[in-house]
Amino acid sequence: MLACIGSLAALGAPTAVAQAAAAPQAGRAEPAECRVYAASPYVTPAGRIQASAARLGCSDTALVRIRIKRAVTGTDPVVKSAARRGGNGRVTVALRCAPGVYYSVVTDYRGNTGRSKAVRLSCSATGTPSPAPTTPPVTPTVAPTAAPTLPPAATPTPTASQGSSAQDEVVRLTNVERQAGGCAPLKHDPQLRSAAQGHSDDMAAKNYFSHTSQDGRTMTDRIKASGFRPMSAWAENIAWGQRTPAAVVKAWMNSEGHRRNIMNCAYTHIGVGMADSSRGPYWTQDFAKH
């Protein structure tokens, strides 16, 4: 499974899939106005469809409601909803999985609304990529229109090993994709590696799959705690179930949200984590720029 996410305060995440998250790019300030965000539904390890929404930058309180809708011919029905009252924070909703196309919508009854991208969920054990939205929305730096011509065996300039052979191979394959798309290779950073490895270890040990740690920490919290500073741009991809570095990088590249993080030329550093478990490997990619 695959996934993408940002820094919300009380949402959830998917199962043998993968997730990805991105933060504001260099030169873009955090939004100060009150806004709401909706994350795309995904399948959890327990076989349930889950989605979450967040309210950020608000000084008042409001009733925040999230609804999961199923895309069908005609009017899309609401299959599950949940609500919470408060200022800033998040709300999560889940239901038993049934194959189909789903999306989530959120409103705070103060005139703020949001909608996620629609995703097709198969409910299979291996899952399909299902990126969650970033918070706040970002538009990654566009790679050059014309990709550079590479010799048949060309590979990015290698960086010093920072982790296991599997972690280093994910970095190498990621840089192969970036170079083919016109982006500079990422430097394997020990601080980002510790943040990524810690999250993979935590997901494997506690049997969950989310960009939000079970103690409430977000991607942003974990990267900051690693000591990587200053941070002008950052993002995260996670995945679960892919057995090899080649398989997980291929899955990320075949998913629009995850590929967008990998091919964002603004990022300069990367950290990779991989933790094995009886349920399959948990993978984390953390991207950042000083």
Side-chain angles (χ1 to χ4, degrees):
M1 296 184 83
L2 310 175
C4 324
I5 198 172
S7 51
L8 308 184
L11 308 178
T15 108
V17 257
Q19 295 188 317
Q25 295 192 12
R28 294 188 60 180
E30 297 270 358
E33 70 272 18
C34 179
R35 301 176 73 178
V36 293
Y37 305 93
S40 295
Y42 54 83
V43 181
T44 71
R48 294 173 66 79
I49 294 175
Q50 183 167 300
S52 55
R55 189 173 191 254
L56 301 175
C58 307
S59 58
D60 62 348
T61 61
L63 180 67
V64 181
R65 181 174 296 279
I66 180 175
R67 298 177 175 88
I68 295 180
K69 289 191 171 185
R70 185 167 184 172
V72 297
T73 302
T75 302
D76 296 342
V78 175
V79 293
K80 193 74 172 182
S81 70
R84 65 175 290 275
R85 179 173 293 278
N88 297 313
R90 62 169 109 193
V91 58
T92 300
V93 62
L95 69 150
R96 180 177 298 177
C97 189
V101 177
Y102 298 87
Y103 61 95
S104 61
V105 294
V106 59
T107 180
D108 67 356
Y109 299 99
R110 291 285 193 271
N112 297 308
T113 61
R115 170 176 169 163
S116 76
K117 292 183 61 176
V119 292
R120 182 175 298 279
L121 303 178
S122 67
C123 303
S124 65
T126 55
T128 56
S130 176
T134 61
T135 305
V138 297
T139 303
T141 303
V142 179
T145 306
T149 302
L150 300 177
T155 58
T157 302
T159 58
S161 172
Q162 293 292 347
S164 68
S165 58
Q167 292 166 327
D168 289 341
E169 181 64 1
V170 169
V171 174
R172 187 189 73 81
L173 292 172
T174 297
N175 281 334
V176 166
E177 298 292 350
R178 284 173 62 86
Q179 184 170 331
C183 292
L186 298 163
K187 179 180 179 181
H188 199 175
D189 182 82
Q191 293 171 320
L192 293 179
R193 189 206 67 80
S194 68
Q197 186 61 49
H199 190 48
S200 287
D201 288 340
D202 195 53
M203 289 190 293
K206 298 177 182 177
N207 189 21
Y208 73 97
F209 183 70
S210 174
H211 287 286
T212 302
S213 303
Q214 291 197 329
D215 60 6
R217 289 175 302 141
T218 66
M219 162 196 72
T220 304
D221 296 329
R222 294 188 299 268
I223 294 177
K224 285 183 175 179
S226 75
F228 187 93
R229 293 209 176 97
M231 292 165 53
S232 62
W234 60 99
E236 182 174 87
N237 285 348
I238 63 174
W240 171 37
Q242 292 78 12
R243 293 292 176 180
T244 65
V248 72
V249 172
K250 180 178 180 181
W252 279 328
M253 289 298 294
N254 286 337
S255 168
E256 180 183 353
H258 304 86
R259 178 187 176 91
R260 190 181 305 122
N261 282 343
I262 290 174
M263 301 307 297
N264 188 336
C265 295
Y267 302 133
T268 56
H269 294 72
I270 187 175
V272 174
M274 192 282 279
D276 212 345
S277 75
S278 60
R279 300 172 297 279
Y282 286 81
W283 305 86
T284 302
Q285 277 185 318
D286 282 334
F287 307 88
K289 176 184 178 182
H290 286 303

